Every structure is written in C-alpha cells, then in structure tokens.
Amino acid sequence: MNTLAEENYLKAIYHLAVNDGNASTNQIASSLNTKASSVTDMLKKLADKALINYTPYQGVNLTPSGEKIAIGIIRKHRLWEYFLVEKLNFKWDQVHDLAEEMEHISSEELIDRLDEFMGYPKHDPHGDPIPDCNGRFNTHELKPVSAIAISESGIISGVRDHSSSFLQYLDKQQLTIGCKIMITDIIEYDHSVVVQTGNKEVHISREVANNLLIAL
C-alpha cells in the first residue's frame, strides 16, 4: 500500500516524464508546490520501493510497477471527473479538486463498476483519454488552434490548461468540448486568432489558441 503523498509523486512524475522520458527534481517540486529537498527525500523512498529509477542530478522516471500505479491513479481521477460532470451535473471547471481526493480510493472493484456504469467512457470532460482497466489509452491526435491555418476547421477536443479560470473563459466564449470551429483570421501583429463557431466569431489571444486543442 502506498501513501497519498507517494501516489501524488508517481502521478506527477508520469505527467512530467511522459514526453521527455525523465523528470527533474525541480520540475517535480514546482508541480507539487514543495521544496526540492522534500522531493529528494521522497524520491529515495520511491526508489527503495522499486517504483522509480533515480540517480541524483540525472532525473527520474517510473519503473513498470510505478507506471502501473500512476496510470491507475490517472484512470480513477478521470473517471471521477466524468462521473461528476455527466451524472451529478458539475461544471468542467469544478471537478479537478474533487477528483484529486477521490482518485486515492483504493477499491479497484468500485472503479471497474464505475467504469461499467458510465458505459466505459474514452475521454474525461476536458478531452483527456481515460485509460482502460489494462492501462491502455485511447489516444487521438490533437493540434493547438495556434497551429491551424486560416480556413481550416476542426472539433474542440481538449485543453492544455486545466485551470478553472481558463475553463470558465472558454464557457463564456462558448468554446467547449465538441464545438466545431473554423479559423477565419490570424492577426499578424500579435498572432491572435479569430475563430467562427456557429453564427458568431470569437477573437482569442495567442495564449488561448496555444491551450485550446482540436481534432481536424
């Protein structure tokens, strides 16, 4: 049995290392809002449990055992987010912190039944893939709006920024998961983007365009 703190570290390392292969102590400290010295102490504990590969000053990555635990936590987190939005009518900007608590429920039977009850959803309310009971992700290629050319269109299918303020902004602009948009203009001065959704056009900043993902 792993502690809540250990599970949080494994999940953070998974997210940080998924692209680069390794996570640095400073990256982990920033992600978990803690001190580098505290991270070092925890990494030693996780290494002793054979959950990570850790060499001081060379970064850290998960062992197969550590990765299995991390993916299991991510699965629970995303399933609970889906449940809260689809069954309890929470908004997509309200569920992250609740799911952070619920992801540490240890009963695998409960999670499997939750998955079955909801019809085995493939993506959470933010468009992130939900791993199945075997840890497999149903991924699909997404591109940021900032990488799309004028006249191209696609379906909003994910976000990079999961903060409540960003999700609330998207709600106000009616730029939510499942909406079809088309790029109608890119402003040369600041690289902001004008998108058409339904019968209206919305002018979004470069930062918003970088954090809004679409499937073409």
Side-chain angles (χ1 to χ4, degrees):
M1 182 69 68
N2 300 293
T3 67
L4 184 149
E6 288 170 344
E7 290 185 346
N8 284 338
Y9 269 80
L10 293 173
K11 185 178 70 168
I13 293 168
Y14 178 89
H15 286 307
L16 292 168
V18 69
N19 293 321
D20 300 329
N22 284 289
S24 71
T25 300
N26 287 335
Q27 285 177 319
I28 298 169
S30 176
S31 175
L32 296 174
N33 193 28
T34 190
K35 297 177 181 179
S37 58
S38 299
V39 172
T40 300
D41 291 340
M42 177 60 80
L43 294 182
K44 291 176 180 177
K45 293 178 183 179
L46 295 174
D48 288 342
K49 288 188 170 186
L51 297 176
I52 63 170
N53 299 306
Y54 172 56
T55 302
Y57 310 110
Q58 293 186 21
V60 57
N61 56 63
L62 300 175
T63 64
S65 295
E67 184 177 81
K68 182 178 180 181
I69 293 170
I71 291 175
I73 298 164
I74 292 167
R75 177 175 183 243
K76 288 185 280 188
H77 183 101
R78 294 177 180 175
L79 281 172
W80 283 122
E81 286 192 330
Y82 186 93
F83 174 78
L84 290 167
V85 170
E86 296 298 326
K87 303 302 180 181
L88 298 185
N89 299 317
F90 280 83
K91 294 182 179 180
W92 68 334
D93 62 280
Q94 297 176 316
V95 296
H96 177 76
D97 289 344
L98 290 170
E100 284 282 299
E101 299 178 24
M102 301 167 80
E103 69 187 21
H104 298 290
I105 296 174
S106 60
S107 173
E108 293 299 330
E109 181 180 3
L110 171 62
I111 298 305
D112 288 341
R113 291 193 181 192
L114 180 68
D115 196 9
E116 180 182 14
F117 171 71
M118 296 188 298
Y120 305 103
K122 302 301 183 185
H123 298 90
D124 74 9
H126 311 108
D128 295 318
I130 301 174
D132 65 18
C133 61
N134 296 310
R136 294 188 295 257
F137 290 86
N138 181 33
T139 58
H140 54 292
E141 184 179 359
L142 302 179
K143 290 186 176 182
V145 170
S146 57
I148 308 304
I150 293 174
S151 297
E152 284 193 306
S153 62
I155 305 295
I156 297 176
S157 301
V159 293
R160 284 176 171 166
D161 183 350
H162 289 69
S163 67
S164 294
S165 58
F166 182 64
L167 300 178
Q168 289 167 5
Y169 169 82
L170 294 180
D171 267 338
K172 289 180 180 179
Q173 302 301 325
Q174 298 180 327
L175 298 173
T176 54
I177 300 295
C179 290
K180 182 176 181 179
I181 63 172
M182 182 176 71
I183 312 305
T184 59
D185 198 8
I186 299 173
I187 310 303
E188 183 177 355
Y189 174 70
D190 59 0
H191 302 287
S192 57
V193 179
V194 180
V195 301
Q196 181 175 337
T197 173
N199 295 321
K200 72 169 187 174
E201 288 191 330
V202 181
H203 186 178
I204 60 175
S205 69
R206 176 73 173 182
E207 183 176 1
V208 170
N210 280 334
N211 283 292
L212 189 60
L213 305 174
I214 68 171
L216 299 178

